[in-house]
Amino acid sequence: MPHPRFVELLDKMKEIHYAKDHDYAGDIPFSNFRKSESFGVSAWKGAMVRMSDKWSRLCTLSTKDAMVKDERFEDALLDLANYALIIYILREEEAKKTKTL
């Protein structure tokens, strides 16, 4: 049986994903990550860059208080978890494309 708080956080991750996908990608899922392809960077690697930015923010927030108050440490952790899933999906999609060509 999963921990009830774990399930609550999965629901929260879903809410965050829907909201950010709406704001950043619009009608085409992950289109914001796919824009990196116009620079010769695969979508999943572009997402990795954003994930590393999030990780850097977490490292900084673990040692000092944030001056930018719109994202808490806990929010950044949930974003990091969402990035992991996004990268997983983008890598799957890339693998399917390369195997069918």
Side-chain angles (χ1 to χ4, degrees):
M1 182 71 145
H3 191 287
R5 183 66 178 135
F6 186 86
V7 175
E8 288 173 15
L9 290 172
L10 289 174
D11 289 338
K12 178 72 173 168
M13 285 173 54
K14 185 168 59 172
E15 289 174 25
I16 291 168
H17 172 69
Y18 286 161
K20 289 193 175 192
D21 194 55
H22 174 272
D23 290 352
Y24 290 101
D27 295 334
I28 303 169
F30 305 143
S31 63
N32 54 323
F33 296 107
R34 296 180 205 286
K35 288 185 190 273
S36 66
E37 293 170 345
S38 67
F39 298 104
V41 177
S42 67
W44 72 266
K45 287 182 181 175
M48 288 284 295
V49 170
R50 293 189 181 150
M51 185 183 223
S52 73
D53 291 341
K54 196 62 66 171
W55 180 254
S56 179
R57 178 155 174 80
L58 281 165
C59 290
T60 300
L61 291 176
S62 71
T63 60
K64 60 184 174 184
D65 291 333
M67 292 190 69
V68 177
K69 301 295 182 187
D70 67 339
E71 182 182 21
R72 300 174 316 129
F73 186 84
E74 293 78 10
D75 296 333
L77 285 172
L78 294 177
D79 280 342
L80 197 61
N82 274 336
Y83 280 133
L85 292 176
I86 290 166
I87 292 164
Y88 189 100
I89 293 165
L90 291 170
R91 281 179 52 90
E92 272 185 338
E93 289 178 359
E94 185 178 290
K96 285 179 186 173
K97 281 184 201 174
T98 58
K99 287 180 182 176
T100 58
L101 295 178

